[in-house]
Amino acid sequence: MVKNPKTFTVDEMNQLFKPEERIYRMRCVEGWSLVIPWLGFPLSRLLEAVEPTTAASYVRFETVFSPDEMPGQNTLSYPWPYQEGLRLDEANNDLTILATGMYGGELPAQNGGGIRLVVPWKYGFKSAKALVKIELVDYQPDTLWNAIAPNEYGFYSNVNPNVDHPRWSQATERRIGETERRLTLMFNGYEDQVAHLYEGMDLKVNY
Ligand SMILES: Nc1nc2c(c(=O)[nH]1)N[C@H]1C(S)=C(S)[C@@H](COP(=O)(O)O)O[C@H]1N2
Ligand SMILES: [Mo]
């Protein structure tokens, strides 16, 4: 659902969209956290270039499927390829970036290179690695974890210390390298930038 469908190499995106350093907290759904200096550009810049039609309301992210290189993808217990989704207004928020680098260098394949999504107010698994296709759609896309365990991993998956995972508390987290646990912050500390996206929504229902 775009006026201008396009294929880009990572080099072309780096030329066109000029990645900048963004230092973000990352909160894993399992209670780990760290701070990461990404090199990336707002996803909104890419969306602007392809011009979503007025019918588009969600963005669907599809990632690399290559069982020869990634033997774990030979297992039938997961519905590969890994896919993710965002509401269009979440995708257009300035905090949402596509990263092609980290720590001042290229993005290693293990961290999602050539290009990955980074959505710092959501649990880490929403930040899909090794993207191969981004689609504008008019339905809420399926996501891998939601397909496997819908009661544990919702579509939104916003970091929220008040909504526990069914098997553990989300009130605290352990920053990698530290021993004391920290309090988890609402929307991972990005409340001022993103709380308006969820006004009037029950975040216990839309977890
Ligand atoms: N393409 C792709 N991205 C993905 C996943 C995946 O399986 N494939 N797993 C997600 C999950 S569940 C986690 S925990 C993190 C793991 O990232 P790491 O290996 O860099 O810690 O990647 C997320 N992004
Ligand atoms: Mo995970």
Side-chain angles (χ1 to χ4, degrees), residues 118-129:
V118 180
V119 193
W121 72 95
K122 293 177 180 280
Y123 292 119
F125 68 87
K126 293 288 292 183
S127 292
K129 304 188 291 183

Side-chain angles (χ1 to χ4, degrees), residues 63 80 82 110-111 125 127-129 145:
T63 76
W80 305 110
Y82 196 83
Q110 66 183 33
N111 299 108
F125 68 87
S127 292
K129 304 188 291 183
W145 287 112

Side-chain angles (χ1 to χ4, degrees), residues 26 28-30 62-64 70 73 80-84 110-112 116 124-131 144-145:
M26 166 78 89
C28 165
V29 73
E30 295 180 358
E62 190 174 311
T63 76
V64 65
M70 303 173 178
Q73 291 185 327
W80 305 110
Y82 196 83
Q83 48 177 332
E84 261 303 338
Q110 66 183 33
N111 299 108
R116 70 175 292 165
F125 68 87
K126 293 288 292 183
S127 292
K129 304 188 291 183
L131 302 175
L144 181 134
W145 287 112

